[in-house]
């Protein structure tokens, strides 16, 4: 996975490559999909959600420029894999998930891997971020939003980086915001497809009525 899917496609951060080589994916993947744990695709997890393709996790992690001790906010815990990759690098992670069952399962998994001291998982609307906390060195949104959730950029420290898929429900652009002394610089980092961010700063509902029954 690391050589063929990550390094070969341009992931160059040795910290990211080493963390993803060390961290097993099996605990994050449903029992019936164990044979696909390292395959080059997103996989379904309970509650109609997904664990992202390994390459996308590597790309988003690298864009955050993670270092030991950095404070990272993740919006969308899902399986907990992205949070565990960041913790394996040594980051201190707060991860917010709106679905209680997913948050609980991810928390158990992360504790079993010995990473519980670096990861705090909360249930809530992560599209609002974590106002009132000290600013974060990085924010990674792992669900698709129609625009950068307005509450999040202000929660970045100076030099902090925000990575998020922004666009329509069926297709987004991965964007990177970097906070500097004069404001935020925005970079487009390529196309992607994520499940929707549902909440105040995301899409307002799970699936619009007009989409029901649509053949994709
Ligand atoms: N990072 C995850 C992983 O490593 O498995 C994958 C995340 S999955 C693609 C997106 C997650 O975002 C889903 O679990 C979904 O329930 C969650 N989500 C959607 N809207 C949310 C919100 N407003 N706040 C927190 N989590 C949200």
């Amino acid at each position: 996975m690391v050589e063929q899917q990550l390094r070969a496609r341009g992931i160059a951060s040795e910290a990211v490559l080493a963390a993803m080589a060390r961290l097993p994916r099996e605990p994050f993947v449903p029992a019936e999909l164990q044979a696909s744990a390292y395959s080059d695709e997103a996989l379904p997890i309970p509650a109609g959600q997904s664990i992202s393709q390994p390459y996308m996790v590597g790309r988003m992690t690298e864009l955050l420029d993670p270092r030991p001790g950095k404070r990272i906010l993740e919006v969308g815990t899902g399986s907990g894999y992205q949070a565990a990759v960041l913790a394996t690098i040594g980051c201190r992670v707060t991860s917010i998930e709106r679905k209680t069952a997913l948050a609980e399962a991810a928390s158990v998994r992360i504790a079993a891997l010995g990473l519980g001291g670096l990861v705090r998982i909360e249930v809530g609307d992560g599209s609002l971020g974590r106002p009132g906390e000290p600013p974060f060195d990085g924010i990674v949104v792992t669900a698709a939003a129609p625009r950068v959730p307005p509450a999040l950029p202000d929660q970045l420290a100076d030099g902090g980086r925000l990575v998020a898929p922004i666009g329509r429900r069926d297709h987004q652009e991965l964007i990177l915001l970097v906070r500097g002394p004069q404001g935020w610089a925005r970079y487009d980092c390529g196309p992607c497809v994520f499940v929707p961010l549902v909440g105040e700063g995301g899409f307002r509902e799970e699936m619009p009525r007009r989409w029901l029954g649509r053949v994709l």
Side-chain angles (χ1 to χ4, degrees), residues 50-130:
S50 59
I51 173 173
S52 303
Q53 176 196 27
Y55 170 75
M56 191 51 67
V57 176
R59 178 91 172 114
M60 293 175 94
T61 309
E62 183 171 64
L63 288 170
L64 283 173
D65 188 23
R67 313 261 170 88
K70 277 198 175 183
R71 293 188 78 242
I72 307 290
L73 174 68
E74 181 191 25
V75 179
T77 312
S79 70
Y81 180 68
Q82 172 75 78
V85 169
L86 288 162
T88 301
I89 293 169
C91 298
R92 291 175 292 148
V93 184
T94 298
S95 184
I96 308 178
E97 169 58 51
R98 69 186 278 268
K99 303 215 176 221
T100 307
L102 291 179
E104 287 174 353
S107 178
V108 169
R109 252 172 231 136
I110 284 175
L113 287 162
L115 296 169
L118 286 168
V119 181
R120 196 175 72 204
I121 297 177
E122 298 178 8
V123 177
D125 180 0
S127 72
L128 299 172
R130 218 46 191 75

